[in-house]
Amino acid sequence: MRLLKVHVHAYRCLEDVVINFEPDIKPQVFPIGGENGSGKSTLLQLIFALLHCSRHPERRDFLNHAIKHTKKPYEKWALTRICIAKIELLHQKQRVEFEFFLKPLSTSPEVEIGKMMETITAKRRRYREIKTGLQKVRRSSAVIDLEDVRNGNKNPLEVLTFLFQSEADRQSYEKIIQESEHLKSDLESLENELSQRLEAFKPLFLNVVNLPAEDKNYDYGLFCQGSCDDSLAKKVLDYASEHVFLAGQPTQPYLFLEDDTIQELFKSEGNYERSLGEVRHFLPNFYNYSPFSVLKILEALQDARDKDFQEVNKTGTYGNAYNSLVKELKTLLGEEKEISATPKMDAITVRCKTSGNTYLELGPEDLSHGELKRASLYSWIRHREINNAIVLIDEIENGLHPDWQYEIVRELASWGTNNQYLLATHSFYLCEALTPRHVKELEPRLADPVAKKKEHGIDP
């Protein structure tokens, strides 16, 4: 899978931005540079939202949020067709261009589909609230995980009697479980019916977006038009949705989130990172490389151990995946430090070579910001087995020594098989590791004071 071209017509600060990604140059690592505010992060997020969310009903709310954040003047949109972006992909030697556009819902079938989508959106939002906001019910130190109950690992009727302080609490909890099950059933039925209706739609009807225009709000349909027959277009878009990944920092506002969630980042009492954790449950290809997060490293080690156990069952011989990963992480950190897991596989341990074959036991906190970030990013790509994919990474250079910024290009190319990387970056060293053809630049449209004067009709 390759991204060949992106043409953003109108999205936030991006106006008529065209970038080509040549498929013939190697490595397939493309730094995207530009001044602060030029739209590098915005571009990566838009590509991710359009490709990752378009064909999955449970992700369409996030696509809706992204479109609502266009921040464009809607006054002239009431009776027009607005192109958001065009994305050209290469899949199995076939080039397919997708145009994502908005147009008002005016015909009877579109309005009917729109109302059905709004109903599904409301039910899905309530289901998500139950699944994420009410995951745990507490009585003193006792905790029940709703997911365990929902999956049948725990029977609520057996445990609730002694975990709740009152009969009313128990009944409330039972109602929540029942509501969740009813919502799940309703959603499955509605989405099956919607899918059947959408199959007949040309172009693809993706979602309903409510936007203000003049003195009232209008319902727009978000559509996707492929440059090939419908069957191939759906096949390519389905494949792209599972093979596009976005990695960024947890301090970055993500435009596919609701406004209230984004505002948590700017409030002292907000818990933005927790909200991001909940979002990742619904957007599996979204990853935040927190500077001191070791979760991805631990997950990769656990995954390697599981593969070794599977090898025992198949061949009778314990596999080498775990030892191989430990060795790779050691090489990544310069041979002096070694990362492994505790015997219970519930935490990572760090050892530093002192002299000869002696090692000093360290904790994860003794690794530098850059070391943890590099190891976590590598572990994420390995653990997810990210191959033949489009990987979008925002500000990968933060926390990395200039030498590592230079080396990261070579490392990315070796971490996955046949991947394409788009890197939003300010790093001169990273760009220097590649040819001028690799480096793409976003120019701020209003940075030039002469251009500003002309825009306002002033003779410079």
Side-chain angles (χ1 to χ4, degrees):
M1 172 66 69
R2 289 284 184 269
L3 175 60
L4 299 180
K5 179 180 179 180
V6 58
H7 182 181
V8 182
H9 287 255
Y11 188 76
R12 294 176 69 82
C13 61
L14 301 172
E15 292 281 354
D16 196 28
V17 172
V18 181
I19 303 179
N20 292 287
F21 303 97
E22 296 82 355
D24 61 316
I25 61 176
K26 294 182 180 181
Q28 281 285 292
V29 180
F30 297 95
I32 301 175
E35 297 179 6
N36 290 323
S38 59
K40 301 183 297 298
S41 300
T42 297
L43 177 66
L44 297 191
Q45 292 182 32
L46 178 62
I47 294 170
F48 179 74
L50 292 175
L51 294 182
H52 189 52
C53 302
S54 293
R55 292 284 290 166
H56 293 265
E58 70 278 8
R59 301 176 193 167
R60 284 180 179 146
D61 285 356
F62 300 100
L63 182 57
N64 198 332
H65 302 326
I67 299 301
K68 283 187 174 182
H69 280 128
T70 53
K71 305 291 185 186
K72 292 297 174 185
Y74 305 124
E75 288 77 8
K76 299 179 182 179
W77 287 23
L79 299 174
T80 57
R81 179 183 186 274
I82 303 298
C83 178
I84 300 296
K86 293 180 180 179
I87 296 177
E88 185 177 354
L89 299 173
L90 177 65
H91 178 56
Q92 295 180 351
K93 298 183 180 182
Q94 297 190 74
R95 292 173 176 254
V96 182
E97 183 182 74
F98 295 95
E99 179 186 7
F100 297 87
F101 63 91
L102 291 165
K103 72 174 185 177
L105 298 182
S106 54
T107 65
S108 178
E110 289 176 353
V111 172
E112 187 176 351
I113 291 287
K115 290 179 179 179
M116 183 178 293
M117 281 186 162
E118 288 177 350
T119 300
I120 291 174
T121 296
K123 287 180 177 289
R124 193 183 296 122
R125 184 176 293 115
R126 174 57 182 161
Y127 181 69
R128 192 158 59 236
E129 286 175 357
I130 292 175
K131 196 168 184 177
T132 59
L134 300 176
Q135 283 184 346
K136 292 183 178 179
V137 177
R138 298 179 180 274
R139 175 192 175 269
S140 303
S141 59
V143 177
I144 293 182
D145 193 319
L146 289 185
E147 195 66 26
D148 281 342
V149 174
R150 198 173 288 117
N151 291 337
N153 298 328
K154 294 180 181 177
N155 186 336
L157 299 180
E158 293 177 358
V159 297
L160 292 180
T161 27
F162 63 87
L163 281 178
F164 291 99
Q165 297 177 352
S166 69
E167 177 67 14
D169 289 342
R170 185 184 67 81
Q171 291 179 358
S172 296
Y173 181 77
E174 289 182 2
K175 287 181 180 179
I176 291 174
I177 295 294
Q178 292 172 3
E179 182 185 1
S180 172
E181 295 303 323
H182 287 315
L183 282 170
K184 184 178 180 181
S185 177
D186 288 347
L187 282 169
E188 288 176 354
S189 176
L190 284 169
E191 286 169 354
N192 285 336
E193 181 181 352
L194 178 64
S195 296
Q196 293 175 5
R197 296 194 182 195
L198 290 179
E199 285 298 318
F201 247 97
K202 298 178 182 180
L204 294 175
F205 194 150
L206 301 180
N207 212 350
V208 178
V209 185
N210 187 263
L211 298 174
E214 298 177 345
D215 297 329
K216 59 181 180 179
N217 289 358
Y218 285 83
D219 283 333
Y220 293 83
L222 177 63
F223 294 85
C224 177
Q225 176 72 61
S227 61
C228 57
D229 65 83
D230 291 345
S231 176
L232 178 60
K234 292 173 183 176
K235 179 182 177 181
V236 174
L237 203 54
D238 285 340
Y239 187 89
S241 71
E242 302 307 322
H243 290 79
V244 61
F245 295 80
L246 174 65
Q249 301 184 100
T251 53
Q252 170 71 41
Y254 291 96
L255 301 173
F256 43 78
L257 304 180
E258 291 183 282
D259 282 325
D260 291 345
T261 301
I262 293 175
Q263 290 307 312
E264 289 183 10
L265 178 61
F266 307 101
K267 295 179 180 178
S268 58
E269 70 277 9
N271 199 330
Y272 184 67
E273 192 162 3
R274 183 186 65 187
S275 298
L276 288 180
E278 295 171 353
V279 167
R280 289 192 291 268
H281 181 79
F282 299 96
L283 301 179
N285 292 5
F286 174 46
Y287 169 55
N288 294 123
Y289 44 77
S290 177
F292 297 102
S293 171
V294 297
L295 181 60
K296 290 301 174 186
I297 302 174
L298 182 61
E299 287 179 355
L301 290 167
Q302 292 170 339
D303 182 57
R305 177 211 51 187
D306 292 344
K307 287 181 178 178
D308 288 342
F309 285 146
Q310 292 170 9
E311 193 68 21
V312 170
N313 293 332
K314 292 179 181 178
T315 65
T317 304
Y318 192 75
N320 194 44
Y322 180 87
N323 289 335
S324 176
L325 178 55
V326 170
K327 184 177 180 180
E328 290 165 13
L329 289 171
K330 185 176 181 179
T331 302
L332 192 70
L333 297 177
E335 298 291 345
E336 300 299 320
K337 294 178 181 177
E338 180 180 284
I339 297 176
S340 58
T342 60
K344 292 184 178 180
M345 300 296 290
D346 57 354
I348 70 167
T349 62
V350 181
R351 297 194 310 163
C352 180
K353 191 173 183 180
T354 54
S355 61
N357 291 322
T358 61
Y359 284 86
L360 176 66
E361 296 292 333
L362 303 174
E365 70 278 3
D366 293 304
L367 290 175
S368 71
H369 175 174
E371 287 174 324
L372 276 170
K373 178 176 179 178
R374 201 155 162 240
S376 296
L377 195 58
Y378 169 76
S379 299
W380 171 61
I381 293 174
R382 166 152 181 162
H383 171 62
R384 288 300 309 271
E385 296 183 349
I386 298 175
N387 298 302
N388 194 33
I390 301 167
V391 185
L392 316 167
I393 306 179
D394 196 5
E395 297 185 350
I396 191 174
E397 72 274 11
N398 286 359
L400 300 184
H401 184 275
D403 288 348
W404 279 8
Q405 293 178 32
Y406 191 90
E407 285 294 320
I408 200 70
V409 170
R410 177 187 58 80
E411 292 174 340
L412 286 174
S414 66
W415 288 353
T417 303
N418 202 32
N419 285 335
Q420 180 187 47
Y421 296 92
L422 275 58
L423 312 176
T425 182
H426 292 283
S427 172
F428 170 81
Y429 301 98
L430 193 153
C431 295
E432 278 289 290
L434 294 157
T435 71
R437 287 184 70 200
H438 284 87
V439 181
K440 313 299 175 181
E441 185 176 1
L442 291 178
E443 297 181 3
R445 295 291 168 175
L446 296 178
D448 184 356
V450 174
K452 287 185 178 181
K453 290 181 179 180
K454 288 182 178 180
E455 185 194 20
H456 291 90
I458 301 173
D459 186 1

